[in-house]
């Protein structure tokens, strides 16, 4: 639906030169911006429960002050910090894609 493509586009704007791809099997990929800041890219599709996210230390990432992009956030929604931006992608009848951004309060 365009989740990884969206992350690739934002990564390019941040000066990330690494090959950005979905971290389906690694769960998280780390990239460095042009200024040396970390950006974390998660794919929680394979996470079966909240405990799995807690086991790998989600807090160190989510509360690090660095940008985190999360594919399949509904798998860990209770763990997401306040003021998280939720990007929802959908396909329109004519084949175009729509992006709606909401703030988690």
């Amino acid at each position: 639906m365009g989740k990884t493509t969206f992350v690739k586009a934002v990564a390019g704007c941040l000066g990330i030169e690494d090959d950005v791809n979905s971290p389906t099997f690694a769960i998280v990929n780390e990239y460095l911006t042009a200024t040396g800041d970390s950006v974390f890219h998660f794919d929680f599709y394979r996470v079966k429960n909240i405990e799995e996210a807690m086991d790998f230390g989600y807090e160190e990432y989510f509360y690090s002050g660095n940008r985190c992009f999360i594919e399949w956030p509904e798998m860990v929604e209770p763990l997401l910090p306040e003021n998280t931006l939720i990007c929802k992608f959908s396909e329109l009848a004519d084949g175009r894609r729509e992006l709606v951004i909401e703030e988690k309060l």
Side-chain angles (χ1 to χ4, degrees), residues 64-99:
S64 66
N66 294 301
R67 290 177 179 92
C68 295
F69 293 91
I70 304 169
E71 296 186 29
W72 301 96
E74 59 273 14
M75 308 303 259
V76 296
E77 191 166 353
L79 303 177
L80 299 176
E82 291 181 11
N83 300 322
T84 295
L85 294 178
I86 308 290
C87 299
K88 296 183 178 182
F89 299 87
S90 59
E91 187 171 353
L92 302 175
D94 63 4
R96 292 181 299 135
R97 294 190 179 127
E98 177 180 58
L99 168 63

Side-chain angles (χ1 to χ4, degrees), residues 20-40:
V20 174
N21 51 48
S22 181
T24 302
F25 296 103
I27 300 197
V28 62
N29 289 340
E30 179 180 7
Y31 306 106
L32 294 177
T33 67
T35 59
D37 295 320
S38 291
V39 172
F40 300 108

Side-chain angles (χ1 to χ4, degrees), residues 4-5 10-13 21 24 34 41 46 52 55 57 62 64 71 73 78 85 91-92 95 100 105:
T4 300
T5 300
V10 174
C13 292
N21 51 48
T24 302
H41 180 197
R46 295 182 327 122
E52 284 185 43
D55 286 346
F62 289 5
S64 66
E71 296 186 29
L85 294 178
E91 187 171 353
L92 302 175
V100 175
L105 302 173

Side-chain angles (χ1 to χ4, degrees), residues 44 47 49-59 76 79:
F44 285 119
V47 171
N49 55 53
I50 295 293
E51 288 75 27
E52 284 185 43
M54 295 174 87
D55 286 346
F56 81 78
Y58 79 95
E59 292 171 317
V76 296
L79 303 177

